[in-house]
Amino acid sequence: MARILITSALPYINGIKHLGNLAGSMLPADVYARFMRQSGHEVLAICATDEHGTPAELAAAAAGQDVRAYCDEQHEIQKSIGAQFGLSWDYFGRTSSKQNAELTQHFAETLEKNGLIAEVVEQQVYSIDDARFLPDRYVEGTCPNCGFEKARGDQCDNCGKLLDPIELIEPYSAVSGSKNLEVRDTKHLQLKQTVMEERIRAWVDAADGWPGFAKSIAYKWLDEGLRDRTITRDLKWGVPVTKDGQPREGFEDKVFYVWFDAPIGYISATREWAEQTGGDWESWWRTDKGAEDVRYVEFMGKDNVAFHTVSFPATLLGSEEPWKTVDALKAFNWLTWYGGKFSTSNKRGVFMDQALELLPADYWRWYLTAYGPEGSDAQFTWDHFQASVNKDLADVLGNFVNRILKFGASRFEGVIPEGGTPGEAEAWLETEVSTRLANIASHYEAMEFRKAAAETRALWAAGNEYLTKAEPWVHFKTDKDQAALGVRMGINLVRLCAIAAQPIIPEAAGKILAALGLEGAQDWPTGDAKAMLSALEPGRSFEPADILFAKIEDDQVTEWSERFGGAA
């Protein structure tokens, strides 16, 4: 039994997340955690809401709420929707917790003692009418390179050129629209990543278990030369800046940058979990206190890779303390919406709460796993969603389970029958079961989720093919024992199909298992296929399952296309 620590990139607090967020980190982290629990490993799956930074302040202001009250409310909403989607976190914490403040301040003070933090004076745009310094992305204006009129202070979305806010032509505040801006000096703390560059490169060189494109992103940053990174901001909402445990002089109106404190939230959320459950958080995170045998796996979208492969490791390694660093990093590409990006700020695409209004969670969990943005970007369209879900879930899994359980219940009174002599069909099925279950497990262990889903679907398809070969309804008229064999093998295969489905579609899998009189999550099946296909013995009662997956109809697709956009 291994100890496996799993974290997902933290969903930001500014509103309910869209399906792209779900597909790119939270859902695969949950699928992986469920499989590893089934396989008998000790798993700790951690996530949290990322609550600091200017977007949280602006979202609260737009909602007419105090920022703390806004974050309190949004945390509970995201936690609830995650639970409705079956996200089985052992703990879902918050970066606004006292635990995260304490750890963030600890890391900053430790890094400074190690000579890795320096005070610097920077020039930053100040909005006189807003009475605040503006982060780069909240200064907008005309791009000096291409003339695009809505370029942001960090980058022009039209030509892609990286910018400094003071380069913009006719800049204005994105908060209020005010052009009453000036450049002021402001004091900040910088993390001296340049000093850590060789050490981080050696750490990346030694990394194993990352997708190739994740390593390439890390090397891109390293090859371009790391820059010292400002880790404080002129904001009120965030982790206060301290020195020697006291407010730092000259930094009373500043907080730590959200991308400095957010990854530390993985550790602090584990500490929250420990304080609520009596667990030992240090045994998961400190290699001098038990974490040397932990396998740490991170899940994230590709836009988060640089922070997790350069900046966060700089914090952990630079502390010179024995913190656990990532072993396997699983990064995902984009789930696109008709060729463009899903967007929280622009309300583009389907969001998690809306998805649950349309269909149960398992429909979405299956589609986003089986057809997710794993090896490359994946485009969501209503037509593909409808066709895939109807074929995989209704025609393959639902049809097989419905056919065998209904026939068995009507012909054998809801009791698994005995009798019959195994032949070619049963030998074929044993080979299929051995092959498919081994392949599914192998793909999960390699974090190849689309391949695991494809093999899961192939196992379900083997059920329908076996019934075609065994023909229990034909044999029932002339050889009841042979029909009994087909039903008994078929029902045992239903059990295996449900167990294999548990990581991706846990609700439907639970319904199937309940129809067989089995309750709760079942361990991953291992061993001899003949034994696995005879685990449910003659004399055991079962009942037909309710319809597992209703097909998505054309008129539903038309309605959803009109509501959310996209061609029907």
Side-chain angles (χ1 to χ4, degrees), residues 205-244:
D205 287 343
D208 191 19
W210 298 8
F213 83 91
K215 268 205 169 186
S216 70
I217 291 172
Y219 283 130
K220 181 175 184 293
W221 274 44
L222 289 162
D223 292 343
E224 290 175 355
L226 294 186
R227 297 180 182 179
D228 294 336
R229 176 167 158 255
T230 303
I231 61 167
T232 51
R233 290 292 187 270
D234 292 282
L235 295 171
K236 291 182 172 58
W237 174 242
V239 176
V241 183
T242 59
K243 186 171 185 178
D244 300 324

Side-chain angles (χ1 to χ4, degrees), residues 166-481:
I166 60 176
E167 295 178 294
L168 292 173
I169 300 166
E170 297 186 1
Y172 59 89
S173 165
V175 178
S176 64
S178 173
K179 293 184 177 181
N180 194 12
L181 310 179
E182 64 183 27
V183 177
R184 293 185 180 182
D185 287 344
T186 179
K187 191 160 55 172
H188 282 294
L189 299 182
Q190 273 191 347
L191 177 60
K192 296 165 73 173
Q193 293 188 146
T194 50
V195 177
M196 293 286 294
E197 188 168 326
E198 287 188 14
R199 186 169 178 188
I200 293 171
R201 183 180 289 275
W203 179 77
V204 173
D205 287 343
D208 191 19
W210 298 8
F213 83 91
K215 268 205 169 186
S216 70
I217 291 172
Y219 283 130
K220 181 175 184 293
W221 274 44
L222 289 162
D223 292 343
E224 290 175 355
L226 294 186
R227 297 180 182 179
D228 294 336
R229 176 167 158 255
T230 303
I231 61 167
T232 51
R233 290 292 187 270
D234 292 282
L235 295 171
K236 291 182 172 58
W237 174 242
V239 176
V241 183
T242 59
K243 186 171 185 178
D244 300 324
Q246 300 298 317
R248 189 184 188 101
E249 186 176 349
F251 286 75
E252 293 85 356
D253 293 325
K254 303 176 194 291
V255 297
F256 284 106
Y257 176 39
V258 61
W259 259 112
F260 182 69
D261 86 77
I264 296 169
Y266 298 140
I267 307 174
S268 65
T270 311
R271 186 171 162 187
E272 286 183 68
W273 160 80
E275 291 177 9
Q276 289 200 16
T277 63
D280 181 359
W281 69 274
E282 289 182 310
S283 74
W284 291 93
W285 281 104
R286 300 267 308 201
T287 57
D288 60 335
K289 297 187 177 180
E292 69 281 349
D293 67 346
V294 169
R295 176 172 169 79
Y296 176 26
V297 185
E298 292 177 345
F299 289 83
M300 70 199 68
K302 61 184 175 183
D303 56 329
N304 287 337
V305 169
F307 294 102
H308 286 81
T309 58
V310 175
S311 300
F312 186 38
T315 297
L316 297 178
L317 299 173
S319 74
E320 302 295 347
E321 295 174 335
W323 294 101
K324 178 68 184 176
T325 56
V326 67
D327 294 301
L329 183 153
K330 179 67 174 180
F332 286 78
N333 290 278
W334 301 127
L335 179 71
T336 63
W337 176 259
Y338 288 89
K341 281 186 180 181
F342 278 77
S343 171
T344 300
S345 56
N346 295 324
K347 306 294 184 188
R348 192 168 193 272
V350 178
F351 289 72
M352 289 173 67
D353 58 334
Q354 298 166 331
L356 292 173
E357 291 173 12
L358 305 183
L359 293 165
D362 279 354
Y363 287 73
W364 303 103
R365 287 179 62 105
W366 172 258
Y367 181 79
L368 296 174
T369 302
Y371 304 96
E374 194 168 358
S376 61
D377 290 352
Q379 179 172 240
F380 180 95
T381 68
W382 288 116
D383 285 344
H384 188 248
F385 176 67
Q386 176 193 26
S388 303
V389 165
N390 285 353
K391 179 171 182 271
D392 299 346
L393 298 183
D395 292 345
V396 180
L397 176 62
N399 182 51
F400 167 56
V401 173
N402 185 59
R403 286 170 74 193
I404 189 61
L405 294 187
K406 276 196 170 180
F407 178 78
S410 65
R411 296 295 189 270
F412 292 97
E413 300 179 343
V415 175
I416 295 177
E418 59 182 349
T421 302
E424 288 184 10
E426 288 69 39
W428 171 86
L429 183 59
E430 288 172 12
T431 300
E432 276 291 296
V433 164
S434 291
T435 301
R436 299 302 178 190
L437 287 175
N439 288 348
I440 295 167
S442 176
H443 289 317
Y444 275 135
E445 286 162 2
M447 292 182 286
E448 296 172 329
F449 296 96
R450 286 178 61 134
K451 290 180 179 178
E455 287 290 327
T456 302
R457 182 173 52 241
L459 180 67
W460 301 341
N464 285 305
E465 191 168 347
Y466 171 71
L467 294 184
T468 299
K469 292 175 181 289
E471 296 183 310
W473 40 86
V474 173
H475 288 300
F476 188 80
K477 300 170 186 174
T478 57
D479 187 345
K480 197 170 179 181
D481 280 352

Side-chain angles (χ1 to χ4, degrees), residues 426-563:
E426 288 69 39
W428 171 86
L429 183 59
E430 288 172 12
T431 300
E432 276 291 296
V433 164
S434 291
T435 301
R436 299 302 178 190
L437 287 175
N439 288 348
I440 295 167
S442 176
H443 289 317
Y444 275 135
E445 286 162 2
M447 292 182 286
E448 296 172 329
F449 296 96
R450 286 178 61 134
K451 290 180 179 178
E455 287 290 327
T456 302
R457 182 173 52 241
L459 180 67
W460 301 341
N464 285 305
E465 191 168 347
Y466 171 71
L467 294 184
T468 299
K469 292 175 181 289
E471 296 183 310
W473 40 86
V474 173
H475 288 300
F476 188 80
K477 300 170 186 174
T478 57
D479 187 345
K480 197 170 179 181
D481 280 352
Q482 200 62 23
L485 172 65
V487 168
R488 186 170 68 253
M489 294 286 282
I491 291 174
N492 270 282
L493 182 57
V494 165
R495 181 186 79 94
L496 295 175
C497 287
I499 294 173
Q502 281 181 136
I504 307 178
I505 49 172
E507 185 176 349
K511 289 179 180 178
I512 297 170
L513 292 167
L516 303 179
L518 300 169
E519 297 297 332
Q522 303 292 304
D523 291 342
W524 190 260
T526 57
D528 177 60
K530 191 183 297 291
M532 288 191 277
L533 285 165
S534 58
L536 301 180
E537 297 180 344
R540 185 185 185 96
S541 297
F542 65 93
E543 58 188 27
D546 294 332
I547 293 176
L548 295 171
F549 296 99
K551 284 197 172 186
I552 299 170
E553 303 296 339
D554 290 345
D555 58 353
Q556 290 175 287
V557 169
T558 300
E559 177 192 336
W560 299 341
S561 297
E562 290 172 356
R563 176 179 171 187

Side-chain angles (χ1 to χ4, degrees), residues 62-132:
Q65 290 178 277
D66 167 79
V67 65
R68 166 61 75 176
Y70 172 82
C71 289
D72 288 346
E73 179 181 280
Q74 291 298 317
H75 171 78
E76 290 303 321
I77 290 171
Q78 291 201 29
K79 182 178 180 181
S80 172
I81 292 172
Q84 291 172 61
F85 259 98
L87 302 181
S88 58
W89 310 119
D90 291 290
Y91 194 77
F92 189 70
R94 308 180 62 178
T95 61
S96 63
S97 68
K98 68 178 179 63
Q99 292 87 348
N100 197 47
E102 290 170 0
L103 278 164
T104 299
Q105 291 162 348
H106 164 79
F107 275 109
E109 294 192 26
T110 302
L111 290 165
E112 185 167 19
K113 288 172 184 172
N114 293 343
L116 293 173
I117 285 182
E119 280 194 18
V120 297
V121 174
E122 296 182 340
Q123 287 193 320
Q124 193 171 340
V125 175
Y126 185 86
S127 171
I128 295 169
D129 292 342
D130 296 323
R132 66 185 296 164

